[in-house]
Amino acid sequence: MSVNMIARNTLCLRSYEEACAFLNTSLDYEKLISYQYNTSTFNLDRMVRLLEQVGNPHREFSSLHITGTKGKGSTAIMLSTVLQRAGYKTGLFTSPHLTNLKERIQLNHTKIPEEDFTAALNVLVPDIQRLRNNTPAESPTFFETLTAICFLYFKEKQAEMAVLEVGMGGRLDATNVVLPLVSVITNIGLDHVNILGNTIPRIAYEKAGIIKKGIPVISAAEKPEALSVIKEVCMEKGAPLYLLGKDIRIDDAQPYTNKNSRGLLCNIKTWQGVYGNLFIPLMGIHQAKNCAMALGALDVLREHGKISIDNETIREAFTHVRCPGRIEVLGETPLIVLDFAHTVESMAALRETLFEHFTFNKLVVILGFSQDKDIDNILREIVPCANDIFVTKSTNSRAVPPEELAKKIKAVYGKRAEICNSARDAVIAAQHAASPDDLLCITGSAYIAGEVRQELAHQNIARA
């Protein structure tokens, strides 16, 4: 980070640890159980003013903006992978992270270095301090500050493209200050109902808030009530709309396994052409939809002359897609599969994928959830097919107590769930219960997935 980037700061944060400590003094809605999702809480004007103070860095690179209930993270990773493989210096902003905050901000799929993270935050500190002292209500939140750090970093490193995943909703999200080349809205379902609303139209309205005047939209919305909202907003804003199932079609998607990899073989058509026998090293038929969304967005960009990428480059790039925490295999004997499914739809997709892609004797599951989820219906998708169940909680303050989960599972399904007070305890107990021919699946939240991933990594280090 250049010297002039930190020259305006009176209190220079000297290390990444100091930067994280300062950032963690911001209001962090990711750690709150409930709050009001409205303009008094999430005020985009606050984000606009913060960015104006540091030269509007988000205007210095082209962006692709992605929201939705399910698949937005995978779609973002696919798009950034293709753009990078095609030679574009590509930024990627996603959330939440699995094990390290720096995962959220990447350039060419490399996490932001600690010194660059600290330098970018140092640029923001004077204005944040001033607001905290004089008008606390105008002080940026944790996610707003992190988004601004991302924009500053991408500007400083001269990113050509940035793929930006919405944190929550869309309309009031901190990322919604950008004017993207294309907006992507993946499938829409019920999630964060205590915050975004408890109906599909209401949630669709929040997601459709990323639609900008005249900017093309790619959508995989399936429910008629969601699609109706998206169509209406696109019509109001003169935004061309390309739909999965109409303009983009998945003709076939089949699990594919050889001695070196597992994944999908897809045949996908867009209004621009055919992508036959396209291999993606990701499991779950639902990933074909995310692939189709990415292809649609790429074809929009190519059609409008925003990028130059040939089909062979796209095909080759998809073979390099990696999505940590999305049906990720971390062990073989027994099979260990990690997935942070946290909605009814994503848990159903996980269950289907486990039985489509893997052969195993007994299914052993570790479950942990956050409190704003549709837990009763999520449990319905995985508990009936589980042989052994371990319930735990993450260190996040929003975690559901495992005793509550065990009680629900016993009352509804008549099954005993072993209570574990930490992700580490759950991993050790589940490993003892699983035989070499079994499958151990860890799921329920990104927080659980991240903590389990760290425990498994520590085990591997200890064995080495």
Side-chain angles (χ1 to χ4, degrees):
M1 195 69 70
S2 58
V3 175
N4 67 330
M5 288 285 282
I6 62 173
R8 60 195 297 276
N9 190 10
T10 55
L11 173 63
C12 184
L13 302 169
R14 294 164 295 180
S15 68
Y16 176 69
E17 289 72 25
E18 286 186 6
C20 288
F22 180 87
L23 182 61
N24 285 329
T25 59
S26 304
L27 180 59
D28 187 356
Y29 286 103
E30 294 178 14
K31 295 180 179 178
L32 299 182
I33 296 171
S34 64
Y35 48 86
Q36 294 296 312
Y37 189 80
N38 54 39
T39 53
S40 64
T41 306
F42 296 91
N43 189 335
L44 278 186
D45 290 341
R46 181 172 60 216
M47 189 68 185
V48 168
R49 287 193 293 270
L50 178 65
L51 293 172
E52 284 177 346
Q53 292 297 316
V54 294
N56 290 313
H58 59 300
R59 297 179 183 173
E60 300 298 318
F61 48 82
S62 298
S63 60
L64 290 69
H65 203 192
I66 304 176
T67 189
T69 302
K70 181 179 179 345
K72 60 183 184 293
S74 295
T75 304
I77 292 171
M78 290 177 186
L79 281 167
S80 64
T81 300
V82 174
L83 291 169
Q84 178 195 345
R85 301 291 297 189
Y88 295 94
K89 185 180 283 190
T90 305
L92 175 65
F93 183 54
T94 59
S95 62
H97 59 277
L98 283 175
T99 59
N100 190 295
L101 183 63
K102 300 191 298 293
E103 295 170 22
R104 300 193 187 198
I105 303 172
Q106 299 186 29
L107 189 67
N108 285 347
H109 289 276
T110 299
K111 292 180 289 188
I112 182 172
E114 292 183 356
E115 60 271 22
D116 289 322
F117 186 100
T118 304
L121 181 55
N122 269 322
V123 177
L124 300 167
V125 165
D127 296 303
I128 294 174
Q129 287 179 315
R130 175 178 52 80
L131 291 168
R132 287 179 178 179
N133 293 335
N134 301 328
T135 52
E138 294 300 313
S139 179
T141 66
F142 175 94
F143 187 76
E144 289 167 349
T145 304
L146 194 62
T147 304
I149 290 171
C150 167
F151 292 161
L152 283 166
Y153 177 61
F154 289 169
K155 174 187 175 181
E156 178 71 9
K157 298 301 180 182
Q158 299 181 320
E160 298 169 273
M161 293 281 177
V163 183
L164 308 174
E165 178 191 1
V166 163
M168 181 180 293
R171 180 175 64 97
L172 302 177
D173 191 78
T175 61
N176 204 27
V177 295
V178 300
L179 184 64
L181 299 177
V182 62
S183 302
V184 179
I185 304 176
T186 64
N187 200 13
I188 294 174
L190 293 175
D191 190 25
H192 301 294
V193 294
N194 294 335
I195 299 164
L196 299 179
N198 59 4
T199 67
I200 293 296
R202 180 65 207 178
I203 292 173
Y205 169 75
E206 296 297 339
K207 307 291 186 184
I210 73 165
I211 297 171
K212 305 294 194 303
K213 184 176 180 179
I215 301 300
V217 176
I218 310 290
S219 181
E222 296 174 352
K223 293 181 172 64
E225 58 268 43
L227 194 52
S228 175
V229 172
I230 292 170
K231 285 181 176 179
E232 182 178 349
V233 176
C234 283
M235 188 173 297
E236 289 174 356
K237 298 193 176 182
L241 176 61
Y242 302 83
L243 294 173
L244 180 65
K246 179 184 175 185
D247 307 289
I248 309 163
R249 299 198 312 274
I250 302 170
D251 287 344
D252 189 41
Q254 297 293 333
Y256 176 82
T257 303
N258 62 26
K259 63 180 180 179
N260 297 316
S261 61
R262 297 183 177 97
L264 291 173
L265 272 182
C266 306
N267 292 319
I268 297 172
K269 293 180 181 178
T270 74
W271 67 98
Q272 287 283 63
V274 178
Y275 299 87
N277 288 321
L278 184 69
F279 176 72
I280 52 175
L282 302 175
M283 287 168 285
I285 298 301
H286 60 284
Q287 290 289 7
K289 296 180 181 179
N290 301 328
C291 178
M293 288 291 91
L295 290 172
L298 291 166
D299 275 359
V300 161
L301 296 178
R302 294 201 294 178
E303 186 178 47
H304 289 81
K306 303 298 183 181
I307 59 174
S308 178
I309 305 176
D310 60 76
N311 283 6
E312 191 53 39
T313 298
I314 292 174
R315 177 182 297 279
E316 188 271 341
F318 268 99
T319 67
H320 294 273
V321 171
R322 300 292 181 271
C323 293
R326 282 87 165 179
I327 312 184
E328 181 183 12
V329 177
L330 297 178
E332 292 289 346
T333 52
L335 280 163
I336 301 177
V337 176
L338 185 73
D339 187 79
F340 54 72
H342 61 275
T343 68
V344 175
E345 291 85 356
S346 58
M347 191 62 77
L350 170 60
R351 184 198 69 242
E352 292 168 3
T353 302
L354 293 179
F355 288 94
E356 286 174 353
H357 282 260
F358 302 101
T359 300
F360 54 90
N361 180 23
K362 187 172 64 173
L363 177 60
V364 180
V365 297
I366 296 174
L367 300 174
F369 301 96
S370 295
Q371 293 191 29
D372 59 343
K373 305 304 176 185
D374 186 5
I375 294 171
D376 290 342
N377 287 318
I378 294 173
L379 290 175
R380 185 185 63 202
E381 297 295 338
I382 192 68
V383 169
C385 59
N387 300 101
D388 293 327
I389 303 168
F390 298 83
V391 289
T392 189
K393 63 179 180 180
S394 70
T395 56
N396 188 279
S397 57
R398 292 165 52 209
V400 176
E403 296 82 4
E404 182 179 325
L405 293 175
K407 185 177 179 180
K408 285 178 180 288
I409 291 168
K410 180 66 175 178
V412 178
Y413 303 98
K415 292 188 174 185
R416 177 184 175 274
E418 183 171 333
I419 296 170
C420 304
N421 290 320
S422 70
R424 181 178 186 275
D425 290 346
V427 170
I428 293 170
Q431 286 175 322
H432 283 305
S435 298
D437 293 333
D438 295 339
L439 188 150
L440 169 56
C441 178
I442 305 100
T443 188
S445 80
Y447 303 107
I448 286 294
E451 291 176 26
V452 169
R453 210 168 192 271
Q454 284 185 306
E455 171 57 25
L456 292 171
H458 290 156
Q459 289 182 5
N460 289 334
I461 290 171
R463 292 191 193 105

